[in-house]
Amino acid sequence: MDQGLRIFITVAKTRSFSRAAEELHLTQPAVSQQIRSLESRYDTRLFERNNKSVELTPAGKILFREGTEILNQYARTKRLIEDLTQSANGPLSLGASYTFGEYVLPPVLAKFCAHYPQIRPKVTIHNTQRIAEEVRRRMLDIGLVEGKIDHPELEILPVSEDELFVTLSANHPLASAGKVHVKDLADERWILRENGSGTRDVANQFFKDTGLSPKNILEFGSTQVIKESVETGLGLSILSPWSFRKELLLGTLHTLSVQGISMRRHFYALTRATSFHTKAMDLFLDFLTPELHNHPFPTTHAHLSLEPPQNEGL
Amino acid sequence: MDQGLRIFITVAKTRSFSRAAEELHLTQPAVSQQIRSLESRYDTRLFERNNKSVELTPAGKILFREGTEILNQYARTKRLIEDLTQSANGPLSLGASYTFGEYVLPPVLAKFCAHYPQIRPKVTIHNTQRIAEEVRRRMLDIGLVEGKIDHPELEILPVSEDELFVTLSANHPLASAGKVHVKDLADERWILRENGSGTRDVANQFFKDTGLSPKNILEFGSTQVIKESVETGLGLSILSPWSFRKELLLGTLHTLSVQGISMRRHFYALTRATSFHTKAMDLFLDFLTPELHNHPFPTTHAHLSLEPPQNEGL
DNA sequence: ATACACTATAAGATATTATTATTTATAAGG
DNA sequence: CCTTATAAATAATAATATCTTATAGTGTAT
């Protein structure tokens, strides 16, 4: 930041060009050169150097004293700014898509807040597109979304895997089938999130892959309503187990694997590619991935192997 | 010598990347780039820039304040070194508190400038506290204040005595009393500078010493307004004769001595304790004290003994 | 909707700063 | 004296940093 001055101060302290060079991990000519350039800038000799010794001239003494203060102030400034930013505190605005925000995020966030009480997270829930847009516009520090986003201004970091399943009422004829064939689902009624939601994207892909073209689709804007509708036997849905952990534990909802089809996707964290991260942001990002691996990720079928995902005490 | 910092400061002052570029004879991208590199060095945003405005962030404000000082010190260092070889010249930044700056300093400064035309003094007027702070922060070479300052980083040099007097209109019943007793002042209305000013401090001390607790105090922020108000008979004030020499000469204001009470104080010159003095600084300090003794110091009552303090040709 | 006033970004040119290799000067030891 | 050791200066070159030119976004105002 002012290398010349730093070199000068070191020479003055060590009374040697060579020692100074060592100390600064530079070569001796680099030191000679910087001193020469300072001397020409101030238009005076700064050191009296007769081959055995290096001594400050009067001008050098002034520069040494003032320069020391300047370097101190650089250091002080850096510290002041670090105190301001590096201390992990202040606001952290998170945006999450529905599934992530409503089901995955809360326990993680609770733990995060316990760890870093000075950080005050604020969560906004929207669909993936909107979240991405708001991260880009700096309205959000971090976006947490279900679908892949490709935008040059956004940095995308996969934080967790997710697998969606065909979900149905425990009273449904297929409920205990576990694994079924595509054709078994041909005549079912489906209850899905609206188009545009990440979950619906996966469902649409599922229908495309399986060749199913269901005539009977109900669209609800709320996962909560969908779950309750499925529980009453109104139809089947395609959901992330994250969103119906409780229902799996209670046994009111079951999942099906469909022969040869898996509906995997990732959760991603989005940040602006070009912006700086606050300390709080980095802490959260570092916290997120391991934390999601701690929470036993509910990939398997409820009736086969579900473990209480957290201390939810059944 | 630290181009990045210089660019940053210019941007902060102009609140514009483009203006800063012009001012520094650079192109706008050069400015953008330096700001970006500073931002990455400090790992935080320094400006909040939306297309219409450029504003300092909290971190930016810190860097602006500290950085300004750093640049000042670079400049000062250069001057100090130049002083070694050259004769006294260049800038001399003086800060003075109100009474000193507005009434005492001007004639001294005029004479000083006549003696040393190559020195270019710059005067800033503020209250004593602020002046001391700016000397400490190296924003000022010399501070000239009315109150005693005790700070380890400051060197304090008494330059002159001052005695304040109760001041009143020539038409006031007590105007020709010369010496009065405390109780004569019990029911007067007072017109004083605001709290925090050095002059007001003395007034407050006066009330404490005399046991007067005036119910009727008007506060004005300007000594000029106070004088005119006192002239019209609105009330009494407590002022330094320095600030109403003309009115004493004209006979529109008179002073009173209060039995057993004197309001003496000193004017002090402040410099940084640890720093070098430029030649200009030393010359000014050496010039100041004898000069103030030359100007007949108006301690006595106007109607008794005032001499024209300078060639003001009555 | 278009122009305009700004800042951001990218790529290449220039300037600055560091390195390597070599030279000069002085002191110390034989 | 001559040799060797140590320290700084110098020159040529390599690596960085810093500018400029050209261009792209992005809001605001007309």
Side-chain angles (χ1 to χ4, degrees):
Chain A
M1 96 204 36
D2 188 336
Q3 180 72 348
L5 191 54
R6 175 156 287 117
I7 289 176
F8 168 81
I9 298 292
T10 311
V11 172
K13 278 182 181 158
T14 58
R15 294 159 161 261
S16 156
F17 283 46
S18 307
R19 292 303 87 67
E22 276 174 37
E23 196 162 306
L24 297 167
H25 307 290
L26 292 172
T27 55
Q28 170 264 311
V31 174
S32 288
Q33 206 171 308
Q34 284 293 343
I35 299 301
R36 178 167 46 179
S37 113
L38 274 177
E39 287 180 329
S40 95
R41 159 123 55 86
Y42 288 113
D43 199 27
T44 181
R45 220 118 248 263
L46 295 170
F47 294 109
E48 217 51 76
R49 43 253 213 224
N50 18 16
N51 273 45
K52 200 57 194 169
S53 69
V54 170
E55 295 292 333
L56 284 166
T57 61
K61 278 180 188 148
I62 289 173
L63 185 58
F64 179 64
R65 190 143 156 199
E66 304 294 316
T68 303
E69 289 187 26
I70 290 176
L71 293 189
N72 281 341
Q73 199 162 356
Y74 272 114
R76 209 168 70 89
T77 305
K78 188 146 187 243
R79 227 191 43 235
L80 283 170
I81 292 180
E82 277 170 2
D83 283 352
L84 194 70
T85 56
Q86 302 271 23
S87 74
N89 59 16
L92 171 69
S93 60
L94 303 175
S97 53
Y98 292 97
T99 302
F100 198 99
E102 291 177 348
Y103 298 104
V104 185
L105 189 55
V108 177
L109 203 56
K111 205 163 174 185
F112 181 74
C113 289
H115 260 266
Y116 305 103
Q118 323 87 302
I119 299 178
R120 290 185 308 284
K122 190 179 155 242
V123 179
T124 311
I125 309 264
H126 275 303
N127 69 41
T128 295
Q129 287 306 321
R130 172 83 178 270
I131 293 296
E133 178 63 13
E134 297 205 339
V135 169
R136 205 181 59 75
R137 291 180 157 277
R138 283 188 254 263
M139 312 289 287
L140 294 171
D141 290 331
I142 298 174
L144 299 162
V145 298
E146 307 153 23
K148 197 153 194 170
I149 289 289
D150 194 20
H151 192 290
E153 286 182 49
L154 293 178
E155 201 153 82
I156 182 162
L157 172 77
V159 291
S160 174
E161 255 199 336
D162 187 31
E163 184 172 8
L164 277 66
F165 293 98
V166 172
T167 310
L168 73 178
S169 164
N171 303 322
H172 192 283
L174 292 173
S176 33
K179 243 190 172 77
V180 298
H181 203 271
V182 174
K183 65 180 194 294
D184 299 329
L185 301 173
D187 299 323
E188 294 296 333
R189 174 194 282 137
W190 297 88
I191 311 174
L192 303 172
R193 286 292 301 273
E194 78 285 359
N195 271 310
S197 97
T199 302
R200 177 62 177 271
D201 289 347
V202 175
N204 288 342
Q205 187 63 41
F206 169 78
F207 292 135
K208 207 169 153 194
D209 290 349
T210 56
L212 284 172
S213 53
K215 290 147 287 252
N216 209 337
I217 294 184
L218 298 180
E219 282 189 2
F220 292 150
S222 149
T223 302
Q224 195 59 39
V225 174
I226 292 177
K227 287 191 301 184
E228 295 192 10
S229 304
V230 172
E231 275 178 333
T232 66
L234 189 61
L236 275 55
S237 190
I238 291 174
L239 296 170
S240 162
W242 283 104
S243 62
F244 57 97
R245 275 202 316 233
K246 282 179 190 161
E247 287 78 6
L248 285 175
L249 285 168
L250 291 168
T252 58
L253 288 180
H254 283 210
T255 60
L256 292 180
S257 273
V258 177
Q259 195 90 49
I261 299 285
S262 92
M263 292 182 279
R264 287 185 185 281
R265 64 174 180 182
H266 285 84
F267 292 127
Y268 297 97
L270 305 177
T271 53
R272 273 187 65 85
T274 59
S275 289
F276 295 97
H277 292 186
T278 66
K279 192 72 178 175
M281 284 170 70
D282 284 333
L283 281 174
F284 182 80
L285 290 174
D286 291 346
F287 187 87
L288 190 59
T289 310
E291 194 54 28
L292 288 178
H293 283 108
N294 277 350
H295 284 257
F297 172 79
T299 49
T300 47
H301 291 194
H303 53 283
L304 298 179
S305 70
L306 187 85
E307 295 285 318
Q310 210 181 0
N311 43 356
E312 293 201 12
L314 186 62
Chain B
M1 95 203 37
D2 188 337
Q3 180 74 345
L5 191 54
R6 175 157 287 115
I7 290 177
F8 168 81
I9 298 291
T10 311
V11 171
K13 279 183 180 156
T14 58
R15 294 158 161 257
S16 155
F17 284 45
S18 307
R19 294 300 86 69
E22 277 174 37
E23 196 163 306
L24 297 166
H25 307 289
L26 292 172
T27 56
Q28 170 263 314
V31 173
S32 286
Q33 207 171 308
Q34 284 293 342
I35 298 302
R36 180 167 46 179
S37 112
L38 275 177
E39 287 181 328
S40 95
R41 160 123 58 84
Y42 288 113
D43 200 26
T44 182
R45 255 175 182 248
L46 296 169
F47 294 108
E48 215 51 74
R49 42 245 212 229
N50 21 17
N51 270 35
K52 201 58 197 170
S53 70
V54 170
E55 296 291 334
L56 286 167
T57 62
K61 278 178 188 151
I62 290 175
L63 185 58
F64 179 64
R65 206 186 53 194
E66 305 295 317
T68 304
E69 286 183 33
I70 290 176
L71 294 188
N72 278 343
Q73 199 164 355
Y74 272 115
R76 219 172 70 83
T77 304
K78 190 149 188 239
R79 260 188 296 140
L80 284 167
I81 292 178
E82 281 167 0
D83 270 0
L84 285 178
T85 51
Q86 300 167 22
S87 59
N89 59 14
L92 171 68
S93 60
L94 303 175
S97 53
Y98 292 97
T99 302
F100 198 100
E102 291 177 349
Y103 298 104
V104 185
L105 189 54
V108 178
L109 203 56
K111 206 162 175 184
F112 181 75
C113 288
H115 260 267
Y116 305 102
Q118 325 85 305
I119 297 179
R120 289 184 309 284
K122 187 178 159 247
V123 179
T124 311
I125 308 261
H126 275 303
N127 68 41
T128 295
Q129 287 306 320
R130 171 86 178 267
I131 293 297
E133 178 63 15
E134 297 205 340
V135 170
R136 207 182 60 72
R137 290 190 155 274
R138 286 181 270 261
M139 311 292 286
L140 294 171
D141 290 331
I142 298 174
L144 300 162
V145 298
E146 308 153 23
K148 197 153 193 171
I149 289 288
D150 194 19
H151 192 290
E153 287 182 50
L154 293 178
E155 200 154 83
I156 181 163
L157 172 77
V159 291
S160 174
E161 254 199 338
D162 186 31
E163 184 171 7
L164 276 67
F165 293 99
V166 173
T167 310
L168 74 179
S169 162
N171 304 320
H172 193 282
L174 292 173
S176 31
K179 243 191 170 74
V180 299
H181 201 271
V182 172
K183 63 179 194 296
D184 298 328
L185 301 173
D187 298 323
E188 295 296 333
R189 176 195 281 138
W190 298 87
I191 310 174
L192 303 170
R193 287 290 303 272
E194 75 287 0
N195 272 308
S197 96
T199 303
R200 176 61 177 271
D201 289 346
V202 175
N204 287 342
Q205 186 63 41
F206 169 78
F207 292 134
K208 206 169 152 194
D209 291 349
T210 57
L212 284 172
S213 52
K215 291 150 286 257
N216 210 338
I217 294 183
L218 299 179
E219 283 190 2
F220 292 150
S222 148
T223 302
Q224 194 59 38
V225 174
I226 292 177
K227 288 191 302 186
E228 297 194 5
S229 304
V230 172
E231 276 177 331
T232 65
L234 188 62
L236 275 56
S237 190
I238 291 174
L239 294 171
S240 162
W242 283 104
S243 61
F244 56 96
R245 274 202 318 233
K246 281 179 189 158
E247 287 77 5
L248 285 174
L249 286 168
L250 292 168
T252 58
L253 288 179
H254 283 208
T255 60
L256 293 178
S257 273
V258 177
Q259 195 91 47
I261 298 284
S262 92
M263 293 183 277
R264 287 188 185 282
R265 63 174 179 183
H266 283 86
F267 292 127
Y268 297 97
L270 305 177
T271 54
R272 273 188 62 86
T274 59
S275 292
F276 291 98
H277 292 186
T278 64
K279 270 190 183 150
M281 283 169 70
D282 283 333
L283 281 174
F284 182 81
L285 289 174
D286 291 346
F287 187 89
L288 190 60
T289 309
E291 193 55 28
L292 287 179
H293 283 108
N294 277 351
H295 284 257
F297 172 80
T299 49
T300 49
H301 293 193
H303 53 282
L304 297 178
S305 71
L306 186 83
E307 294 288 321
Q310 212 182 354
N311 44 356
E312 294 201 12
L314 184 61

